[in-house]
């Protein structure tokens, strides 16, 4: 790459540096290799999440997300996944 010196003028993350050395597009090919993606939310799980949110949102002195995580039927969801899904809904 004759213009790589322009790329070197700006800060690069390790992923961007790897992409520069191995070829552009190499990260998209190896997407599943690094970490596994969370399984998508099913409509039943979304409905359960809505119900649990409305049930625990008004409880004083209790963490809503912790209460939802404790009562989800499908284990394995992280706090971050639940928060992200609630924001999306």
């Amino acid at each position: 790459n004759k213009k790589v010196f322009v790329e070197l003028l700006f800060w690069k993350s390790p992923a961007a540096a790897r992409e520069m050395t191995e070829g552009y597009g190499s990260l998209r090919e190896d997407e599943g290799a690094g970490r596994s993606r969370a399984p998508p939310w099913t409509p039943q799980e979304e409905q359960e999440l809505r119900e649990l949110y409305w049930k625990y949102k008004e409880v004083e002195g209790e963490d809503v997300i912790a209460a939802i995580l404790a009562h989800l039927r499908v284990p394995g969801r992280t706090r971050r996944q639940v928060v992200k899904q609630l924001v999306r809904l």
Side-chain angles (χ1 to χ4, degrees):
N1 187 354
K2 294 180 181 180
K3 304 204 180 190
V4 75
F5 64 91
V6 175
E7 294 264 9
L8 296 175
L9 293 174
F10 302 97
W11 174 257
K12 301 290 180 218
S13 67
R18 177 178 167 220
E19 189 172 24
M20 284 174 51
T21 58
E22 294 181 11
Y24 295 102
S26 63
L27 287 180
R28 279 182 244 119
E29 294 168 2
D30 296 338
E31 255 180 6
R35 66 183 156 147
S36 61
R37 295 185 62 106
W41 289 79
T42 64
Q44 294 82 13
E45 288 175 325
E46 287 180 356
Q47 183 61 33
E48 180 185 9
L49 187 61
R50 278 189 198 99
E51 291 170 3
L52 288 171
Y53 173 74
W54 287 107
K55 181 178 179 181
Y56 293 109
K57 80 173 194 152
E58 299 295 329
V59 177
E60 288 289 324
E62 187 174 339
D63 183 17
V64 176
I65 305 300
I68 290 173
L69 282 170
H71 293 94
L72 273 176
R73 283 186 235 149
V74 179
R77 294 287 183 185
T78 64
R79 181 179 183 90
R80 177 180 241 166
Q81 291 170 344
V82 170
V83 170
K84 187 176 180 180
Q85 187 66 16
L86 281 172
V87 169
R88 193 183 72 72
L89 292 174

